[in-house]
Amino acid sequence: MRGLGPSLTVRCFLPLRLLRRPQRPPGPRLSSGPAAAGALERAMDELLRRSVPAMPAYELREKSPAAVESQCADFVSFYGGLAEVAERAELLGRLAGGFGVDHSQVAEQSAGVLQLRQEPRETAVLLQAEDRLRYALVPRYRGLFHHISKLDGGVRFLVQLRADLLEAQALKLVEGPHVREMNGVLKGMLSEWFSSGFLNLERVTWHSPCEVLQKVSESEAVHPVKNWMDMKRRVGPYRRCCFFSHCTTPGEPLVVLHVALTSEISSNIQGIVKECPPSETEEKNKIAAAIFYSISLTQQGLQGVELGTFLIKRVVKELQREFPHLETFSSLSPIPGFTKWLLGLLNSQAKEHGRNELFTDSECKEIAEITGGPITETLKVFLSSNEWVKSEKLVRALQAPLMRLCAWYLYGEKHRGYALNPVANFHLQNGAVLWRINWMADVSLKGITSSCGLMVNYRYYLEDTATNSIAYLSSKNIKASEQVLSLVTQFQKNSKL
């Protein structure tokens, strides 16, 4: 133990493990040959016929016996035995396509509602007809999910099932409106089960159980934890690490937030994750800002469930209780996708015979002199790796153009009217302000390759977050600082898309 420090003890010798999917028992595979594949498909159809409860008649909806627990357990057991992503996708596709809404019933009940609206009837009659229509719109597989949720470990199983469904959709193993509808139904059910009233806020310290520290380190997706010394810094003085757990599984992180308590709004991540705190004892007069520098979801099946927003709000309240003088709250966020977007622009311009509309003439000349070749082609090569940051001249020459291009990417590039960048969209929905873009703020390999080293502060002015959130969600207006708007103006003046 000598030389390790008094508080490291045996934790230091536990290697950080990579996240792994739980091992499944071996089962039949679709790829085992036509006969085996056919047998597996027939087994799937029989399982679904037996496990998915039929929709009782409207009049009997509250009197019908509950599904036999063993039938739901059979589904869970069969699904758990499927070893391949393609097999799970096949079963989920059959469930979505064959056990959804009865469209003939929907048409019949819709016609009844329309007819009653055209005739003078009592309100109660119309309301009951609308209730019948709502009942007809419930897909059959929702009953299966509902009964599985009552099994021991059932909700956890459904979270993993949705993670599998999202993975299958991303791999295009299963597609179509029925699958998207089932994903939406399951997401809605999980949103109810994981609403804020069922969530507990827990703080992680160096004295937390090893299992919790391990899970937090494994789940860190933004700035990976390198070793236990790194982990100790992130839960030590001038740092806060909090997570939400579900009331049924205390100590099991669902979403994790890392916060740095600093004297000012941080402009680079190295000062947070690499530098040691000023002292082992916190001095409150040195704390003027809370910086949210990482938020990670530990369960992919909970994507789209509003956990991160609630977690930030709860942590802000806890910090205000602990530090009543604290008024400055901001993120220090990565900009995933910026490099990819920029390389896409360079590629499209290269195809148009070297057309350049991203850089000014003087910038083109300076960059070409440094790189020794046509700006579009050479930048494509340089920005595809992290080698360019080794040239101080190139870093200096690229600062102005990349800063304004990044400002436009965050402020002007949209998807259905909202910010294209997912991290920007998250914070703007929360009511934050697009406050400051920081040059060379993340010089790690990941930071350089994904966002050219740039990071951004989304600042939370607590008195304005509700107003900003409504303006963004309803009118798609992005609240931005003078620095960002100035960079956007420079882009509009000097660059064209």
Side-chain angles (χ1 to χ4, degrees):
M1 293 295 194
R2 187 175 298 169
L4 295 176
S7 59
L8 290 185
T9 65
V10 75
R11 296 180 195 271
C12 297
F13 298 103
L14 296 175
L16 291 179
R17 300 189 303 268
L18 296 176
L19 282 172
R20 296 182 184 273
R21 182 184 182 85
Q23 292 293 315
R24 297 176 182 269
R29 300 189 177 190
L30 289 175
S31 56
S32 302
L40 180 56
E41 290 170 359
R42 288 191 295 274
M44 288 181 178
D45 290 337
E46 172 59 24
L47 171 78
L48 294 175
R49 184 193 63 77
R50 189 176 67 252
S51 301
V52 183
M55 293 287 287
Y58 176 79
E59 291 76 13
L60 302 175
R61 65 194 183 283
E62 296 177 355
K63 301 176 183 178
S64 298
V68 179
E69 184 176 305
S70 62
Q71 295 174 349
C72 299
D74 285 346
F75 179 89
V76 173
S77 177
F78 185 96
Y79 187 88
L82 297 175
E84 300 295 326
V85 176
E87 295 167 358
R88 299 191 291 273
E90 178 69 20
L91 179 59
L92 294 175
R94 288 170 181 264
L95 177 62
F99 297 86
V101 168
D102 184 339
H103 296 290
S104 63
Q105 272 294 309
V106 172
E108 181 181 331
Q109 299 303 330
S110 298
V113 171
L114 291 173
Q115 184 177 354
L116 286 172
R117 287 182 61 85
Q118 295 170 0
E119 301 173 358
R121 293 291 185 94
E122 292 183 8
T123 302
V125 176
L126 177 59
L127 292 176
Q128 186 181 56
E130 291 173 344
D131 193 47
R132 285 177 178 271
L133 175 57
R134 275 192 295 273
Y135 183 69
L137 286 167
V138 177
R140 277 185 64 182
Y141 50 69
R142 195 183 195 284
L144 174 66
F145 297 154
H146 175 71
H147 292 303
I148 288 176
S149 72
K150 297 180 180 180
L151 298 177
D152 185 26
V155 173
R156 185 193 299 266
F157 169 82
L158 291 172
V159 171
Q160 184 57 57
L161 183 144
R162 182 164 182 259
D164 292 341
L165 181 60
L166 292 171
E167 181 183 15
Q169 286 180 287
L171 296 172
K172 299 190 182 302
L173 295 174
V174 59
E175 299 179 90
H178 294 299
V179 174
R180 291 192 294 272
E181 175 67 16
M182 187 169 77
N183 176 45
V185 169
L186 188 51
K187 173 187 168 185
M189 297 177 78
L190 291 171
S191 295
E192 293 179 7
W193 296 329
F194 288 88
S195 62
S196 59
F198 297 114
L199 301 176
N200 298 321
L201 181 66
E202 301 188 41
R203 180 181 169 187
V204 183
T205 70
W206 186 239
H207 302 290
S208 296
C210 282
E211 294 79 7
V212 172
L213 289 166
Q214 186 80 48
K215 289 172 183 174
V216 170
S217 68
E218 289 173 341
S219 68
E220 176 50 44
V222 184
H223 306 290
V225 178
K226 295 181 179 179
N227 49 46
W228 281 112
M229 284 297 295
D230 188 5
M231 188 67 205
K232 187 182 181 186
R233 278 196 298 270
R234 300 193 192 196
V235 297
Y238 296 95
R239 301 292 182 267
R240 295 293 183 271
C241 177
C242 301
F243 66 85
F244 268 151
S245 64
H246 195 266
C247 59
T248 60
T249 54
E252 180 77 27
L254 300 173
V255 58
V256 183
L257 177 67
H258 289 268
V259 185
L261 303 175
T262 62
S263 59
E264 60 184 1
I265 296 179
S266 304
S267 60
N268 73 82
I269 194 63
Q270 287 76 228
I272 292 177
V273 299
K274 289 189 176 182
E275 296 178 8
C276 293
S279 65
E280 286 295 318
T281 304
E282 291 179 352
E283 298 180 39
K284 290 191 175 183
N285 62 339
K286 291 184 178 180
I287 297 173
I291 310 300
F292 314 125
Y293 68 92
S294 174
I295 185 164
S296 298
L297 191 65
T298 69
Q299 309 286 336
Q300 294 308 305
L302 294 176
Q303 283 185 39
V305 177
E306 202 170 3
L307 297 176
T309 299
F310 291 138
L311 180 56
I312 289 176
K313 290 178 179 178
R314 285 281 297 277
V315 169
V316 165
K317 289 181 179 179
E318 290 299 316
L319 290 173
Q320 286 179 315
R321 289 193 190 99
E322 189 177 2
F323 306 102
H325 68 284
L326 190 58
E327 296 181 348
T328 302
F329 298 91
S330 174
S331 79
L332 179 61
S333 301
I335 312 172
F338 173 63
T339 302
K340 182 179 179 181
W341 173 80
L342 181 56
L343 288 173
L345 293 182
L346 292 171
N347 276 325
S348 64
Q349 297 206 351
K351 291 176 182 177
E352 298 182 25
H353 308 291
R355 177 175 65 91
N356 168 60
E357 292 185 344
L358 300 179
F359 305 91
T360 65
D361 292 340
S362 60
E363 288 168 347
C364 287
K365 182 179 178 181
E366 182 181 8
I367 295 170
E369 288 176 354
I370 297 170
T371 59
I375 180 172
T376 302
E377 292 299 332
T378 54
L379 278 184
K380 281 168 55 181
V381 174
F382 276 103
L383 295 180
S384 296
S385 72
N386 66 330
E387 293 298 312
W388 65 275
V389 296
K390 297 178 181 179
S391 168
E392 291 185 12
K393 288 184 178 180
L394 187 55
V395 169
R396 203 161 42 244
L398 287 175
Q399 180 173 356
L402 292 193
M403 285 281 284
R404 68 171 182 263
L405 282 163
C406 184
W408 177 256
Y409 171 68
L410 294 172
Y411 185 84
E413 289 295 308
K414 303 293 179 63
H415 174 66
R416 296 178 180 175
Y418 298 106
L420 174 66
N421 182 266
V423 178
N425 189 51
F426 169 77
H427 287 290
L428 293 170
Q429 283 185 16
N430 293 344
V433 173
L434 180 53
W435 191 67
R436 185 176 66 195
I437 298 172
N438 304 293
W439 180 245
M440 289 293 107
D442 184 0
V443 294
S444 68
L445 176 61
K446 183 178 180 181
I448 296 298
T449 54
S450 68
S451 59
C452 298
L454 289 153
M455 297 189 78
V456 58
N457 300 113
Y458 298 99
R459 187 163 177 180
Y460 285 76
Y461 294 95
L462 300 185
E463 66 277 9
D464 297 328
T465 52
T467 304
N468 293 343
S469 177
I470 292 171
Y472 179 68
L473 292 171
S474 60
S475 305
K476 303 174 182 176
N477 293 331
I478 294 178
K479 187 79 171 178
S481 68
E482 290 185 8
Q483 184 236 28
V484 174
L485 293 176
S486 174
L487 288 169
V488 168
T489 301
Q490 291 175 38
F491 169 86
Q492 293 170 328
K493 179 182 177 181
N494 297 305
S495 303
K496 297 178 182 178
L497 292 183

